[in-house]
Amino acid sequence: MSKRILLSGFEPFGTFETNPSWDALALAESEGLLGDHVSIVKIPVTYTDAFDVFAKAFEAHQPEGAISFGVYGSRLDSASFQKANDLDGKTPASSCIYIESVARNRDNAGKPDNAGVTREGGVIVADAPETIAASFPADSLRHSLKEAGYDCEISEDAGGYLCNHLFYRGMHAFGSRIPYGFVHVPPVVSMNGSLTLQQLAQAMADMANTLAKYSGS
Ligand code: PCA
């Protein structure tokens, strides 16, 4: 019996009309790439509801491993992302999948969420650690994706918007119970990226597989 796995993706936000973090999950499921042990859930891009929707799905499916996905866009040229990833002004390849290894207890984004709320500072969970390390096997996920031919790196900065917000709250609530973490996926071909939705769907299925086989704590 394979382990129960929960995968989440986000709805569209800002100038994006679609969000490949959800579209690729839906495609993977409809094509039967995921298997019955894998459940998927779509997350709203709002500070008030994102975690609640994830937590409800968590309680409903009782996963033994979980990954949340989001798309990256404008964060590529942010100073903190450049610094954390040692990019030194270079633009990372738009096909790169980033395995996020550190969740930060801070909302800090200039752009509003889908309810019009902007949070440019402030802790996410009071009296909780400043950072929490992802509990999923980041190195194994990266290794497996590389073997399959994907461009993939470990990142230490998930930004200050909804992705980091969900990542931190998910880690805080569930990260010590099950292997959990966040993965930032690139924009796809229809958004001027270089991966197709199909390739991304396959990469997500690969990650679910790696996580289902993981026997660490
Ligand atoms: N990406 C955003 C939030 C939702 C998504 O898909 C982020 O990087 O924070």
Side-chain angles (χ1 to χ4, degrees):
M1 270 278 283
S2 287
K3 288 196 182 124
R4 287 184 306 279
I5 302 294
L6 176 65
L7 305 177
S8 77
F10 278 105
E11 67 180 6
F13 64 100
T15 54
F16 291 137
E17 283 168 17
T18 60
N19 191 328
S21 70
W22 170 252
D23 293 349
L25 282 184
L27 182 65
E29 185 176 72
S30 72
E31 291 195 336
L33 301 178
L34 297 177
D36 291 344
H37 60 292
V38 182
S39 310
I40 63 174
V41 59
K42 186 180 186 176
I43 307 291
V45 180
T46 62
Y47 291 105
T48 50
D49 295 337
F51 175 71
D52 289 352
V53 171
F54 183 72
K56 275 204 185 83
F58 193 98
E59 294 312 329
H61 299 293
Q62 297 290 318
E64 296 156 280
I67 305 175
S68 291
F69 294 96
V71 67
Y72 62 79
S74 56
R75 81 191 193 114
L76 291 181
D77 41 31
S78 86
S80 65
F81 181 81
Q82 289 277 338
K83 189 162 168 282
N85 292 286
D86 200 18
L87 287 167
D88 200 21
K90 295 188 292 289
T91 304
S94 65
S95 62
C96 193
I97 294 170
Y98 287 97
I99 315 267
E100 300 292 352
S101 58
V102 182
R104 279 196 177 67
N105 192 3
R106 185 155 296 275
D107 288 323
N108 191 13
K111 54 181 180 286
D113 72 5
N114 284 352
V117 174
T118 303
R119 292 195 183 168
E120 291 185 274
V123 295
I124 297 171
V125 181
D127 303 320
E130 197 179 319
T131 58
I132 307 180
S135 55
F136 66 10
D139 285 330
S140 310
L141 292 167
R142 176 171 176 270
H143 184 75
S144 166
L145 284 177
K146 287 249 182 196
E147 290 270 285
Y150 292 93
D151 188 6
C152 173
E153 298 298 340
I154 309 262
S155 158
E156 296 179 355
D157 182 1
Y161 192 45
L162 262 301
C163 288
N164 177 71
H165 182 90
L166 176 64
F167 182 20
Y168 188 86
R169 292 199 62 187
M171 284 311 307
H172 185 256
F174 309 121
S176 59
R177 280 159 59 180
I178 62 158
Y180 172 65
F182 197 93
V183 174
H184 259 121
V185 302
V188 289
V189 167
S190 60
M191 309 159 84
N192 294 325
S194 46
L195 284 188
T196 64
L197 200 60
Q198 183 71 44
Q199 286 171 315
L200 196 52
Q202 193 59 58
M204 288 169 161
D206 187 287
M207 287 183 254
N209 234 342
T210 302
L211 192 57
K213 287 195 213 123
Y214 178 60
S215 56
S217 55

